[in-house]
């Protein structure tokens, strides 16, 4: 009888993930607002266009590194789409475009210049822990949602 060799699962590189997935959302895994936002997106984007990983994860940090983003200094959601990284209000509005009605209508705010949108986003980002709280560790997705998380 032949012995079976145990092999380690092959690790998918960040570049392979960027080529495989249309939209990757990086979020603050300990932020209650961010976790609620991920759940909101999942519930309103049933096609599975987006997959998610936390900024605190090794993979999240590696993906940020591909684009020269310091994950530890972020107070923004990051959307990786079409080999580009989008942050702050631009990421949020690009995500909104893929949501079901009426939420995709929020993308109309693209008419407002980013230099006006981002200060509002930054204000919320700076205060999110105070207003919404945070967890000590990232939340574990339910078994039915695991396929949407990297």
């Amino acid at each position: 009888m032949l012995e079976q060799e145990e092999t380690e699962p092959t690790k998918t590189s960040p570049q392979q993930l960027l080529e495989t997935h249309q939209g990757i959302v990086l979020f603050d895994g300990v932020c209650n607002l961010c976790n609620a936002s991920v759940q909101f997106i999942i519930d309103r984007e049933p096609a599975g266009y987006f997959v998610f990983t936390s900024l605190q994860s090794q993979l999240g940090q590696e993906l940020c590194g591909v684009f020269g983003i310091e994950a530890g200094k972020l107070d923004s959601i990051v959307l990786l789409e079409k080999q580009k990284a989008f942050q702050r209000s631009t990421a949020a509005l690009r995500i909104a475009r893929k949501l079901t009605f009426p939420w995709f209508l929020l993308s109309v705010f693209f008419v407002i210049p980013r230099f006006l949108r981002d200060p509002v986003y930054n204000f919320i980002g700076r205060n999110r822990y105070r207003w919404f709280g945070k967890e000590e560790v990232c939340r574990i997705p339910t078994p039915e949602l695991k396929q949407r998380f990297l």
Side-chain angles (χ1 to χ4, degrees):
M1 178 178 242
L2 294 173
E3 287 185 35
Q4 287 185 338
E5 270 187 51
E6 284 189 39
T7 59
E8 290 185 31
T10 57
K11 182 181 175 189
T12 306
S13 75
Q15 194 58 45
Q16 289 170 314
L17 290 172
L18 291 166
E19 292 167 4
T20 303
H21 299 287
Q22 296 176 13
I24 300 174
V25 177
L26 306 174
F27 66 99
D28 182 345
V30 298
C31 169
N32 288 338
L33 174 62
C34 303
N35 281 307
S37 297
V38 167
Q39 191 61 50
F40 183 89
I41 296 165
I42 289 169
D43 291 346
R44 286 154 188 84
E45 193 279 303
Y49 181 87
F50 298 113
V51 293
F52 306 88
T53 193
S54 75
L55 289 163
Q56 291 85 357
S57 70
Q58 180 178 344
L59 178 58
Q61 292 176 16
E62 289 174 7
L63 286 165
C64 282
V66 170
F67 295 95
I69 299 169
E70 285 189 60
K73 293 188 177 186
L74 280 177
D75 60 357
S76 171
I77 194 167
V78 177
L79 171 63
L80 306 178
E81 186 179 48
K82 299 178 182 175
Q83 299 295 322
K84 294 181 183 168
F86 302 95
Q87 296 180 50
R88 297 179 176 69
S89 64
T90 301
L93 293 175
R94 289 183 72 91
I95 290 168
R97 279 200 256 189
K98 298 293 184 185
L99 303 182
T100 56
F101 181 82
W103 304 106
F104 70 81
L105 297 174
L106 291 171
S107 63
V108 73
F109 288 108
F110 266 123
V111 299
I112 299 171
R114 193 175 76 203
F115 74 88
L116 295 174
R117 293 188 323 250
D118 278 352
V120 173
Y121 187 97
N122 292 340
F123 178 72
I124 295 168
R126 280 191 309 271
N127 293 289
R128 70 191 189 282
Y129 292 147
R130 187 171 351 139
W131 295 342
F132 301 99
K134 70 180 200 174
E135 301 294 325
E136 292 301 314
V137 294
C138 297
R139 213 164 83 188
I140 304 293
T142 61
E144 57 271 4
L145 291 181
K146 278 194 180 205
Q147 67 208 21
R148 298 283 303 264
F149 288 82
L150 299 174

